[in-house]
Amino acid sequence: MYSGGVSTAERLIESTRALLWERGYVGTSPKAILERAGAGQGSMYHHFKGKPDLALAAIRRTAEEMRATAEGVLGGPGTPYERIAAYLRRERDVLRGCPVGRLTMDPGVSASDELRAPVDETLDWLRGRIAGIVEEGQRQGEFAPGLDAAEVAAAVVATVQGGYVLARASGSPAAFDAGVRGLLALLAP
């Protein structure tokens, strides 16, 4: 699975990221991490203090990746509405769910302030970034001045995260797509 040039610590982080997305924190055992990483039994404890420390590194990396992906779209070309629409319509593996959003429902993550922090920070950043775009659109006359930018941003994030849940429940991305179309219709200039 990994080439010889990838460090053991890197393999452990990437394996943990994948397992957290697939199984969550509670369902990810150190043994599964080591097997997926192709690492020896003492490797985790050589590079990390234990499963929580390794999970924190993996969650931080996933959160950073999500921010970079979102910023690539939200900071791209177009009007504020077009950038929000591009974010909502960007390519996603809808049936797998959001690797950050799914962690909010994991009891092992929600019970730990340290593990939950990068998740909260990322969702806060996303809401703030979208609110800034809405405010930009208000200044340009694209969005109604009476809109509450923070509430619109919360609705955008809720549409995406709720869309993942509805799509997974139905086994089809159609529910996600319907939520996106509905929100965009409400936001249309």
Side-chain angles (χ1 to χ4, degrees):
M1 179 174 184
Y2 293 99
S3 67
V6 178
S7 73
T8 302
E10 183 67 21
R11 291 193 326 260
L12 289 166
I13 291 170
E14 288 302 313
S15 295
T16 302
R17 287 180 67 201
L19 288 165
L20 288 173
W21 196 0
E22 292 168 16
R23 303 177 183 182
Y25 181 80
V26 172
T28 297
S29 68
K31 181 179 178 184
I33 294 167
L34 293 171
E35 286 176 4
R36 170 109 20 136
Q41 198 165 8
S43 297
M44 180 187 306
Y45 301 99
H46 174 73
H47 295 285
F48 302 95
K49 294 176 193 165
K51 178 183 167 183
D53 189 42
L54 175 54
L56 181 59
I59 292 168
R60 283 182 178 151
R61 172 124 4 123
T62 298
E64 290 166 8
E65 186 178 278
M66 180 179 162
R67 284 184 190 200
T69 299
E71 182 56 36
V73 177
L74 294 170
T79 67
Y81 176 85
E82 290 168 342
R83 292 179 0 242
I84 291 171
Y87 170 74
L88 287 166
R89 291 179 177 145
R90 79 168 179 78
E91 187 68 31
R92 292 175 167 85
D93 190 351
V94 175
L95 295 179
R96 281 190 78 195
C98 175
V100 171
R102 286 183 69 180
L103 293 171
T104 64
M105 296 177 276
D106 189 293
V109 174
S110 63
S112 167
D113 291 341
E114 189 175 30
L115 294 178
R116 194 177 59 250
V119 174
D120 291 342
E121 291 163 7
T122 298
L123 294 173
D124 286 346
W125 171 86
L126 183 58
R127 285 189 301 269
R129 183 67 174 97
I130 293 168
I133 293 170
V134 172
E135 290 167 353
E136 178 186 337
Q138 288 173 311
R139 288 190 299 275
Q140 295 174 4
E142 186 174 26
F143 295 128
L147 288 177
D148 182 306
E151 290 177 359
V152 172
V156 170
V157 174
T159 297
V160 171
Q161 294 303 319
Y164 283 126
V165 171
L166 294 174
R168 287 175 58 90
S170 68
S172 168
F176 184 98
D177 296 339
V180 166
R181 285 191 308 273
L183 179 59
L184 288 175
L186 292 172
L187 291 176

